[in-house]
Amino acid sequence: PKVMFPAVREKIVWPGPMVVSDIPFLKKYAANKTKITVIGPVTLSYRVVDQGIYNSHAALCFAIADALNQELKALAAAGVDLIQIDEPEVHFRYSQCQDFAVEAINRMVRDVDCMTSVHVCYGYSKNIALKEPSPIYPQAVSLIAQSDVDALHTEYAQPGHTPDFLQSVGEKPVAIGVLNLDPDGEVETPESICSLIEGAITVVPPERISLAPDCGMWFLPREFAFAKLQAMCTAAARLRSKYA
């Protein structure tokens, strides 16, 4: 079947707030800090077709980053605590984007007055029969670690990464994916999650580690997802009490 992509027929500009209206709703129901996710400029640049407006893919990507920067500033002004930038294509198209990805991310987060992180993934588990460590993945994470983003979010559990992979995060704080999101998988125990993080602490100090699912959980049954999150939160509490 033919795949249709949006066409770029004129210079890209920020049209005004796009998801900022979600923040009051989020803050109304959130008991703690709030996070919102936004697609990154590299990934978005591969989701559109340039109709001769820009003279290179890098120029297209930078224009998108500049527009997204305005959205992030508006989100920060609305009071969100963390903006997560999703950049799977830095992993999937590393060889194509490695020369301009850092600049694009820097443009997107410039003067944004809240914490920012970049999530790099392998793709949703329901679409991938087998996840195993990719030799490109640490290169992509290491590249993004050179940017001005505040933190990183990496998949870890399901691909089966080992602590040495975490050298790729450099000096950045990192949210480590501790939940295998295979729809046919098991609910982790707090003990298994703690063990995973104990290994990670041999490379990254505990004050720079937070816990997260590997990737998005929208395709998992609600009770299954909540059971996994509960195990993760229990493990996090135990680790905080041990390393605080």
Side-chain angles (χ1 to χ4, degrees), residues 42-214:
V42 177
T43 297
L44 186 52
S45 73
Y46 288 108
R47 302 290 193 273
V48 299
V49 177
D50 182 13
Q51 301 282 24
I53 303 301
Y54 295 96
N55 58 14
S56 68
H57 194 96
L60 169 67
C61 187
F62 294 157
I64 292 171
D66 291 342
L68 287 171
N69 174 253
Q70 298 300 309
E71 182 73 9
L72 264 58
K73 288 178 179 177
L75 287 166
V80 72
D81 297 295
L82 169 63
I83 301 172
Q84 177 181 296
I85 300 163
D86 291 341
E87 281 289 24
E89 293 298 347
V90 177
H91 173 205
F92 300 141
R93 299 179 188 257
Y94 178 79
S95 63
Q96 299 174 37
C97 70
Q98 61 180 315
D99 292 337
F100 58 83
V102 170
E103 173 65 17
I105 292 168
N106 287 348
R107 284 174 178 247
M108 185 173 179
V109 302
R110 187 166 293 150
D111 299 323
V112 174
D113 192 22
C114 74
M115 187 175 181
T116 57
S117 71
V118 171
H119 171 55
V120 189
C121 74
Y122 281 76
Y124 288 123
S125 300
K126 71 182 184 69
N127 298 327
I128 298 175
L130 175 67
K131 284 190 183 185
E132 55 187 16
S134 158
I136 302 300
Y137 191 79
Q139 295 180 54
V141 172
S142 180
L143 182 70
I144 294 171
Q146 298 171 37
S147 75
D148 297 332
V149 73
D150 296 316
L152 302 170
H153 177 192
T154 69
E155 289 203 29
Y156 193 85
Q158 190 173 1
H161 282 295
T162 50
D164 58 295
F165 151 72
L166 292 167
Q167 294 172 3
S168 64
V169 308
E171 299 301 314
K172 300 282 191 192
V174 58
I176 297 175
V178 297
L179 299 181
N180 180 331
L181 302 184
D182 181 354
D184 299 319
E186 303 291 331
V187 175
E188 290 81 0
T189 64
E191 291 76 19
S192 68
I193 294 171
C194 286
S195 177
L196 205 67
I197 295 300
E198 295 278 3
I201 287 171
T202 64
V203 176
V204 179
E207 63 270 18
R208 287 203 279 120
I209 293 176
S210 57
L211 277 56
D214 263 8

